[in-house]
Amino acid sequence: MNIQSFINRKEIPALVVAVALLFLKPLAEQAGLPVPEAQLNLIVLAGFAFFGLTFAEGVFKPDYAAGWQTLWQSAKLRTLLVTVAAVAVNAFLPPQYRLSEETIGAAINFFIGLMGAKAGVDIWRTARK
């Protein structure tokens, strides 16, 4: 495997996305936005779950053509983006309409489980061939 084929694998962009999520908190604080600590930690967890599940899928599908372009078609990435959007929207709602930390945490955990289920189905489909 040469370096170009390694960089074009789906796991590498997934890792970049997961690591980029780590920098959300300092950027949000610099912008003066309220930072929900627990929710942000769950988003980072979702990002690393996305990377780990994509990596696990790549172990079973070592010959698939992936990379940055096909990453946008990933149901796991779309699920991750929904988690980020849910926390962002909740942070900007007026206080009387905001969901509680526990509710948002439960939703993010559900989305992480959804990513796991999707990865499990993809791995099962590949392994049974």
Side-chain angles (χ1 to χ4, degrees):
M1 174 184 291
N2 64 26
I3 191 74
Q4 183 63 36
S5 65
F6 180 74
I7 290 172
N8 285 332
R9 300 220 15 112
K10 200 173 187 178
E11 298 90 10
I12 300 305
L15 179 61
V16 170
V17 169
V19 170
L21 288 173
L22 287 173
F23 297 100
L24 280 179
K25 182 179 178 191
L27 291 175
E29 287 174 342
Q30 286 178 354
L33 300 173
V35 179
E37 185 85 27
Q39 294 171 17
L40 188 64
N41 290 340
L42 284 172
I43 288 176
V44 171
L45 175 66
F48 281 106
F50 171 67
F51 165 68
L53 293 169
T54 304
F55 183 80
E57 186 180 336
V59 168
F60 289 94
K61 291 172 33 173
D63 59 341
Y64 71 141
W68 291 99
Q69 190 171 30
T70 58
L71 184 69
W72 297 114
Q73 300 168 353
S74 168
K76 290 182 290 299
L77 178 66
R78 284 180 264 157
T79 303
L80 177 62
L81 294 176
V82 167
T83 63
V84 173
V87 170
V89 166
N90 192 53
F92 288 108
L93 288 175
Q96 67 268 25
Y97 297 115
R98 278 192 198 138
L99 298 172
S100 69
E101 292 261 342
E102 295 81 24
T103 304
I104 290 290
I108 293 172
N109 284 323
F110 170 76
F111 290 135
I112 291 171
L114 193 61
M115 283 192 288
K118 176 64 175 132
V121 167
D122 291 345
I123 290 169
W124 179 74
R125 284 181 182 158
T126 301
R128 107 179 167 179
K129 287 181 183 178

